[in-house]
Amino acid sequence: MTHHHATGRTGVLMAALLLALVGCKGDDTTAVPARTDANPWPQVAWPLPPDPALEKRITDLMGTMTVEEKVGQLVQGDIASITPDDLRRYRLGSILAGGNSDPGGRYDASPAEWLALADAFYAASMDTTQGGKAIPVLFGIDAVHGQSNIIGATLFPHNIGLGATRNPALLRRIGEITALETRATGMEWTFAPTVAVPQDDRWGRTYEGYAESPEVVASYAGAMVEGLQGKVGSPSFLDGRHVIASVKHFLGDGGTTDGKDQGDTRISEAELVRLHAAGYPPAIAAGAQTAMASFNSVNGEKMHGHKAYLTDALKGRMNFGGFVVGDWNGHGQVKGCTTTDCPATINAGLDMAMASDSWKGFYDTTLAAVKAGTITQARLDDAVRRILRVKMRLGLFEAGKPSSRAVGGQFALIGAPAHRAVARQAVRESLVLLKNQGGVLPLSPKQRILVAGDGANDVGKQAGGWTLNWQGTGTTRKDFPNADTIYEGIAQQAKAAGGEAVLAVDGRYTTKPDVAVVVFGENPYAEFQGDLPTLAYKPGDDTDLALIKRLKADGIPVIAVFLSGRPLWVNREINAADAFVAAWLPGSEGAGVADVLLRNPDGSVQHDFKGTLSFSWPRTATQYANNVGQKDYDPLFGFGFGLTYADNGNLAALPEASGLTGNEGATGVFFTRGDAGAGMALRLEGSTGQGVTVTRVPESLDGDLLHVTGVDHLAQEDGRRLAWSGKGEAIVALQSHTPLDLQRESNGDLMLLTTLRVDAAPQGEAWLRVGCGTGCSARIAIGPTLATLPVGQWTRVGVPLKCLAAAGADIGKLDRPWSLATAGPMTLSVSRVALGALNEAQTTLACPGA
C-alpha cells in the first residue's frame, strides 16, 4: 500500500538530501560523494577550519605530559567502577554513566545528586596536589531520547517515532532541549544520535533507528548533531548550553545477520557505504565531535579492530576531525584481545576506549604497549591530540565546575513546560494511522471513554528502554513527575469538554462506555533483551487480543493504540479493532496521543495524523527482508504509508496466518508457561547423570528422589513444583539441544533470572549451576539465599552472567544454561527462567569471590 501525502513528503526530503549531497548550496559543510567502484566512500568537508592557535596550545600542553598522562586520556571508566579519588591517581580522559550506573547506585537519584557527582569528578581531574596536569574530564551519558537518565526529564519519542514525523527541524529543536537538560545535570557529552539503518526488525535496537531508509536517516543526522552541539560558525557552537554529540554506531550495526545484536554484517563495501554509512557524511559535515565504534563485525571483522574503516575511511576519506570512542568493553571482542588488554583497538583507530569496568587493567596494558612500542608514539599522540582538541573546542579548560557553568544546576529546565510542549508536538507528529473503519476517529471528548490495556496508564511502558535505567524496566508512576500517561491525557481533555474517561486496565466496567481506547504493546527492553526470533507479537499470549474482542462483543467501538519499538505482526489485533494507531514509544507526553485521537469540544478536528511509516509493516511474522528498495518488496503497509482523517480508512480483513511453524522460540527464555523453551528439554538426574526427560507431569526420579508436579503462578499450571526428598543428590536441569553462545549478553549487565517460590527451604547445601561439558561448568551457592526468602512468596532471583563466567563457565558454549542441585530436602516452585536486566532481579546471588 502507498499513500499520496506520505509519498509526496518523502519525495521532497529525498530531493532535498540529493541537493545537499551534490553541493548545490555551495557551502563548505556539504558532503560530496565522489563515489567510484574502487572507493565507494564519500569525501566530506570537515566544517571547522584549521586553528593554528588551538594546535599550538595542544602541542604545548602535550609537550609537558608524561606518557602515563597521555595514556590516561585514552581511557574512559564507568561511575559504578571508578571514584573521584581513582581519577586523581589515574588521570583518565573521561567517565561515563552507563545505563544502570547512577549516583549511589540508585536509578532515581535526584538531579542535584547527579550534578554533585559531576562536580566531584571534575574537581578530581583538576586537582594537581598529587601531581599530574589539570586536564578536565569529559562526562558522557546516554541521553538518547532526552536526558532520559534523570527523574523528571523531558522524554521524547524514541527515534523510530521521530522518523515517522519526517521533520528534521523538529529534530534540531529536540537536540537543543536534550543538550540543555543534560548540561543542567552536569554532563557535557551525549552518546547520540544513533544513525543505524535497521534492516531486520527482529533487532532489539530497531527503535533506536530513525528509518529503514538511508535517505531519511541522512536527512536527520546533521540536524540532530546541530541541535545538540550548536551550528558550526555560530557563537552558540559548543557553548555552555550545548553538548558534544557522538554519532553511532560505526558501522553496520543495523545490518547484522538475522538482526542479532553485536552480530556480523555480511555485505559488499559499496552497499555498506550506501546503506549503513548514510548518516555519517551529514553528521561529519555538521561538525560531530565524536563517533562511536560499533559492537558488530563487518564480514567477520569486529569494528573495534577495523583499521580500514575506523582510520582509513572515517578519519581519512571522510575527513572526520573529532575522536573515535568505543562502546561498552567492545574492544574486548576484538580477536586476540580481552577487556583489559587490547592494543589492537588503539592501533586500528580507536582514540578512547569505553573500558567501563575494565579501565584499570586496560590502562596498565596500554601503557605497557606504548612503552614496548606496540602502540607507536605517533598513534598515541594522534589520539591524545584529537581528544584534547575536542575538550578545548568545548571550552572545558575555562569552564569551571559543572555547577558553575551556563545552565549548571538550573533544574527548572528539566521537564520544563516549553520542553514538554516540543515533546508533545513530536508525539502528535509521530503517530501513524493504519486503519480507521467507518471514520470512527476522531472521537468526541464529550463521550464516556473507557481507557484499557496495560499501556494505558504506564509512563515506563510508553517510554520504553533507556529510560531511568538500561532496559527501562522496574519504574513506577512517581518516577515521572513531569509526564502524562495516555489515559491521563485523554481524561484531562474529556473532563474539560464535559465528558468522562474511565481507566480499567482489564477492560471491566459497570456502566457501558460509548467507546474504548485500548493501549497495549511491547514491554520495555534495550539491546540483547530486545532481540526477537520472529516478528510475532507476544506469541502464545493473546491477552490483548482477547480484551479487544471482548469489548467489541459488547458492542463497543475499539480504538487500538499500539506501543512498540518496531513493526510487528498484529493482523489479528488490527482486524479486531475499529481503528489502529502505531504510537511507537512516545515518551513522557501521553497527552500528545489524546491531542490527535480527540476532537475539540466544538466538534472540529484538533490535530490530524501527520506520521508516515519509516519502517515497512510485515505481512507475516516471518517477513524479515521487508525494506523499501529491496527486491520483491511486498509489505502489508509500505514505507511512507499513513492515513489522515480525510482518507478512506476502511481496511478489508487481513489474513490471520502468521507464517510461523511453531518451532520458533523466544530469545533468552529457557523455561516458561510450564515448559522448556525452544530447543530445550527439562531433565531430572541423579549424581551419576542418569535420569529422565520430563515430558509430562507428575514425573519422578528414582521413585521419590526428585518429584515434579504442576503449579499455578500467573496461569493454570504455568509453573513446576520441584520436591527433593533428601535421600541423595538430585539435579533438575534445562538441557539445550545445541550449545548456546551468551558471550555478547555477558558483555552487558544481563542476568540469569529465575522466577521461583520457596515452599520448603533447603536443609543442606544447594547450588545453581550452568554447564558446558567437562571442566568449564560453574556453580554458585543458592542455599543461603533461598533460606532468607519468605516461604510461599514468588520472587525473581538473579545471577549476573559475568559472575558465571568468573566462576569458570565458558558461556560461549553452554549446553546447560540452568540447573538446581541439592542432596538435602527442599521444595521450590519455578515458573520462568530467562535472561533479564540487572534491575529485574529482586534478589541477586553473590558472585564467587565477591
Side-chain angles (χ1 to χ4, degrees):
M1 296 185 183
T2 57
H3 194 264
H4 60 92
H5 88 270
T7 304
R9 294 175 70 198
T10 304
V12 170
L13 279 172
M14 288 183 179
L17 175 69
L18 188 60
L19 284 171
L21 287 176
V22 297
C24 289
K25 292 183 180 179
D27 65 52
D28 62 0
T29 66
T30 300
V32 183
R35 303 181 182 203
T36 67
D37 290 338
N39 189 337
W41 295 91
Q43 286 184 308
V44 186
W46 178 248
L48 290 162
D51 185 340
L54 176 68
E55 296 304 319
K56 181 180 186 304
R57 186 180 175 193
I58 296 169
T59 300
D60 290 347
L61 174 59
M62 288 178 62
T64 71
M65 291 171 67
T66 65
V67 66
E68 288 81 6
E69 289 168 338
K70 288 181 177 180
V71 169
Q73 290 298 304
L74 274 55
V75 185
Q76 182 183 59
D78 183 80
I79 62 170
S81 304
I82 189 171
T83 66
D85 280 341
D86 290 328
L87 194 66
R88 281 184 177 87
R89 179 178 175 190
Y90 285 92
R91 321 302 291 182
L92 302 191
S94 176
I95 56 167
L96 81 148
N100 283 333
S101 301
D102 309 277
R106 297 187 346 272
Y107 79 91
D108 57 354
S110 69
E113 289 173 291
W114 279 99
L115 185 60
L117 187 72
D119 274 353
F121 275 108
Y122 170 82
S125 71
M126 303 302 282
D127 183 352
T128 59
T129 57
Q130 299 177 28
K133 305 295 180 303
I135 300 176
V137 68
L138 267 176
F139 193 163
I141 197 163
D142 287 280
V144 295
H145 64 129
Q147 173 48 315
S148 48
N149 310 271
I150 307 294
I151 294 287
T154 307
L155 300 174
F156 295 95
H158 271 294
N159 287 357
I160 191 171
L162 298 180
T165 71
R166 304 294 204 278
N167 189 346
L170 178 62
L171 266 287
R172 182 177 284 102
R173 183 71 185 118
I174 288 170
E176 291 169 356
I177 292 168
T178 300
L180 277 172
E181 296 197 17
T182 301
R183 279 291 203 157
T185 51
M187 304 99 205
E188 57 273 314
W189 182 10
T190 178
F191 303 132
T194 298
V195 295
V197 186
Q199 298 295 285
D200 189 323
D201 297 343
R202 291 174 291 179
W203 185 38
R205 304 190 77 159
T206 295
Y207 67 78
E208 297 185 52
Y210 296 119
E212 69 191 29
S213 150
E215 289 83 8
V216 170
V217 173
S219 75
Y220 277 14
M224 181 54 95
V225 168
E226 280 194 354
L228 291 167
Q229 297 191 162
K231 186 172 179 61
V232 174
S234 74
S236 66
F237 180 63
L238 296 183
D239 69 4
R241 301 170 66 86
H242 291 85
V243 296
I244 58 173
S246 184
V247 60
K248 68 181 189 182
H249 304 86
F250 192 84
L251 186 63
D253 48 347
T256 58
T257 302
D258 297 328
K260 293 293 186 186
D261 196 51
Q262 303 187 13
D264 191 18
T265 300
R266 301 167 195 163
I267 195 170
S268 72
E269 187 172 45
E271 274 297 278
L272 178 74
V273 174
R274 182 191 72 80
L275 193 58
H276 296 290
Y280 290 89
I284 293 168
Q289 293 297 293
T290 71
M292 183 181 289
S294 188
F295 277 121
N296 65 281
S297 306
V298 173
N299 298 322
E301 185 171 348
K302 283 287 181 181
M303 282 304 309
H304 276 68
H306 209 307
K307 185 175 186 293
Y309 290 165
L310 292 182
T311 297
D312 302 343
L314 178 59
K315 295 177 179 178
R317 182 73 176 178
M318 292 199 290
N319 296 311
F320 171 61
F323 71 81
V324 179
V325 66
D327 207 339
W328 188 279
N329 280 335
H331 55 275
Q333 299 182 23
V334 175
K335 187 176 181 180
C337 287
T338 66
T339 57
T340 55
D341 190 357
C342 192
T345 196
I346 303 299
N347 287 334
L350 201 78
D351 300 306
M352 180 184 286
M354 189 183 286
S356 44
D357 56 358
S358 57
W359 59 269
K360 190 173 181 181
F362 185 88
Y363 168 87
D364 288 339
T365 58
T366 303
L367 178 61
V370 170
K371 290 182 175 179
T374 308
I375 297 171
T376 66
Q377 192 67 45
R379 171 77 272 262
L380 174 67
D381 285 351
D382 173 58
V384 173
R385 180 172 289 272
R386 285 174 175 270
I387 292 164
L388 293 178
R389 191 181 286 134
V390 168
K391 289 183 177 185
M392 290 183 184
R393 283 182 189 139
L394 191 59
L396 275 194
F397 283 80
E398 300 78 40
K401 62 184 180 180
S403 62
S404 68
R405 299 174 190 171
V407 295
Q410 293 186 20
F411 300 139
L413 290 169
I414 299 171
H419 296 177
R420 292 186 61 191
V422 174
R424 186 165 172 172
Q425 175 193 348
V427 174
R428 289 196 296 264
E429 295 189 18
S430 69
L431 303 176
V432 180
L433 181 61
L434 299 182
K435 177 182 180 180
N436 190 20
Q437 209 75 9
V440 63
L441 286 174
L443 304 174
S444 167
K446 298 182 178 182
Q447 304 179 86
R448 183 179 179 85
I449 304 169
L450 178 72
V451 189
D454 66 2
N457 199 38
D458 189 335
V459 181
K461 181 156 179 156
Q462 72 191 39
W466 294 106
T467 302
L468 298 186
N469 59 63
W470 180 32
Q471 298 286 330
T473 55
T475 56
T476 65
R477 183 66 185 88
K478 71 175 176 58
D479 296 326
F480 303 100
N482 300 323
D484 285 311
T485 67
I486 292 170
Y487 159 70
E488 288 165 350
I490 293 172
Q492 290 159 10
Q493 294 186 28
K495 182 178 180 181
E500 182 183 22
V502 178
L503 175 68
V505 170
D506 62 2
R508 303 291 178 185
Y509 57 86
T510 52
T511 302
K512 185 177 177 181
D514 298 307
V515 66
V517 177
V518 178
V519 188
F520 66 102
E522 294 188 288
N523 291 323
Y525 57 82
E527 55 194 295
F528 308 131
Q529 281 294 87
D531 287 2
L532 290 178
T534 77
L535 294 179
Y537 169 62
K538 290 186 178 177
D541 181 354
D542 293 336
T543 306
D544 301 314
L545 179 62
L547 172 58
I548 296 170
K549 286 184 170 181
R550 189 177 81 236
L551 292 167
K552 279 292 293 177
D554 289 348
I556 302 167
V558 175
I559 314 304
V561 176
F562 187 52
L563 302 173
S564 75
R566 53 195 149 202
L568 291 169
W569 186 76
V570 284
N571 284 19
R572 299 177 302 162
E573 289 81 359
I574 294 174
N575 283 342
D578 294 281
F580 194 93
V581 178
W584 316 112
L585 300 169
S588 59
E589 306 311 308
V593 177
D595 290 342
V596 182
L597 297 187
L598 300 182
R599 294 180 181 271
N600 284 313
D602 64 5
S604 61
V605 172
Q606 187 180 181
H607 290 278
D608 204 342
F609 280 89
K610 290 185 176 182
T612 60
L613 291 180
S614 55
F615 287 82
S616 306
W617 210 275
R619 288 189 178 277
T620 69
T622 57
Q623 190 180 30
Y624 310 129
N626 189 37
N627 302 294
V628 63
Q630 284 182 333
K631 185 182 178 185
D632 302 324
Y633 176 64
D634 183 30
L636 177 63
F637 300 105
F639 174 84
F641 178 85
L643 297 168
T644 69
Y645 285 138
D647 296 316
N648 177 358
N650 292 340
L651 183 67
L654 301 173
E656 295 194 359
S658 68
L660 300 178
T661 64
N663 295 326
E664 302 88 353
T667 300
V669 179
F670 305 141
F671 182 85
T672 188
R673 294 194 289 274
D675 201 2
M680 298 270 181
L682 185 66
R683 294 270 302 164
L684 308 180
E685 293 179 354
S687 57
T688 63
Q690 298 298 309
V692 59
T693 298
V694 179
T695 57
R696 58 184 174 84
V697 290
E699 183 63 88
S700 295
L701 174 68
D702 295 343
D704 66 348
L705 186 61
L706 177 56
H707 190 59
V708 57
T709 53
V711 67
D712 299 346
H713 179 203
L714 301 176
Q716 185 175 2
E717 292 212 359
D718 65 340
R720 295 289 179 257
R721 179 179 282 118
L722 307 161
W724 283 261
S725 67
K727 296 180 179 179
E729 185 179 57
I731 302 166
V732 58
L734 290 168
Q735 178 79 43
S736 177
H737 301 331
T738 56
L740 303 175
D741 183 356
L742 303 183
Q743 291 183 92
R744 67 189 179 92
E745 286 82 353
S746 72
N747 191 51
D749 284 332
L750 286 196
M751 313 186 88
L752 180 61
L753 285 173
T754 305
T755 304
L756 58 81
R757 182 183 70 194
V758 177
D759 298 317
Q763 295 181 27
E765 291 185 334
W767 304 92
L768 184 145
R769 296 175 174 172
V770 295
C772 43
T774 305
C776 73
S777 298
R779 68 179 193 174
I780 292 179
I782 194 175
T785 297
L786 297 177
T788 65
L789 296 178
V791 173
Q793 184 174 312
W794 289 96
T795 188
R796 290 187 301 277
V797 176
V799 56
L801 290 177
K802 59 182 64 174
C803 291
L804 295 169
D810 183 346
I811 52 177
K813 56 176 185 179
L814 291 181
D815 56 13
R816 288 203 168 184
W818 178 91
S819 63
L820 291 174
T822 185
M826 176 174 74
T827 305
L828 300 179
S829 294
V830 175
S831 68
R832 197 168 192 267
V833 179
L835 300 182
L838 196 65
N839 60 311
E840 290 183 81
Q842 290 160 305
T843 301
T844 303
L845 297 185
C847 290

